[in-house]
């Protein structure tokens, strides 16, 4: 698993990950791209401090609120209106907007190398998700976190870093 986008596509396709991410998004207001970014950083042997998580989130907050959220809202509204062709085009635009959001995060990560993990990858990933949950001031659904961590550990088992 190379860059952030490739990592995200691969882990998102694993069993249980998409529903877990969407639960975190819908129930806690989590940004799925931030969740995946934090896992990717851990995968790369890096762990962001609480302050770095806040900085990374602020970096993308305008893009998320002005571009991604309106596209998502339009796509979801069209689901019940029978406008599947338009809905598909908006879904593609939403996916591209998320890819661009991840590009910003990945570029920031390259310019601001995080500290080393200093703990097993699964524990570091859990700590990163807990720190993010604290930043958004809402707990992430426990079952969703466990599904994300299980997929993360499995991905690392199949293809260890380094």
């Amino acid at each position: 698993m190379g860059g952030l986008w490739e990592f995200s596509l691969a882990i998102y396709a694993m069993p249980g990950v998409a529903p877990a991410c969407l639960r975190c998004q819908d129930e806690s207001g989590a940004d799925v791209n931030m969740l995946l970014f934090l896992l990717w950083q851990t995968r790369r042997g890096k762990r962001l401090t609480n302050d770095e998580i806040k900085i990374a989130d602020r970096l993308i907050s305008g893009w998320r609120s002005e571009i991604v959220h309106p596209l998502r809202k339009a796509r979801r509204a069209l689901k019940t209106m029978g406008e599947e062709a338009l809905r598909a085009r908006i879904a593609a635009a939403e996916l591209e907007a998320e890819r661009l959001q991840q590009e910003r995060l990945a570029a920031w990560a390259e310019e601001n190398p995080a500290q080393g993990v200093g703990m097993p990858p699964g524990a570091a990933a859990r700590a990163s998700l807990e720190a993010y949950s604290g930043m958004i001031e809402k707990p992430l659904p426990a079952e969703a976190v466990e599904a994300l961590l299980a997929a993360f550990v499995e991905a690392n088992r199949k293809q260890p870093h380094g």
Side-chain angles (χ1 to χ4, degrees), residues 107-126:
W108 178 84
E110 293 304 319
E111 294 168 8
N112 301 279
Q115 65 185 344
V117 169
M119 61 179 76
R126 181 181 298 281

Side-chain angles (χ1 to χ4, degrees), residues 14-54:
M14 293 178 74
V17 172
C21 286
L22 295 176
R23 274 196 71 194
C24 290
Q25 174 183 281
D26 294 342
E27 294 178 24
S28 301
D31 183 319
V32 171
N33 286 309
M34 278 298 295
L35 297 174
L36 296 170
F37 173 67
L38 293 170
L39 294 177
W40 177 69
Q41 281 288 79
T42 305
R43 171 84 169 87
R44 297 171 65 222
K46 306 293 181 185
R47 183 159 170 259
L48 299 180
T49 65
N50 291 356
D51 287 341
E52 289 169 329
I53 292 171
K54 288 176 187 172

Side-chain angles (χ1 to χ4, degrees), residues 57 86 91 125 144:
D57 189 66
L86 178 57

Side-chain angles (χ1 to χ4, degrees), residues 124-137:
R126 181 181 298 281
S128 292
L129 294 177
E130 286 172 359
Y132 179 67
S133 177
M135 189 209 70
I136 63 173
E137 299 178 342

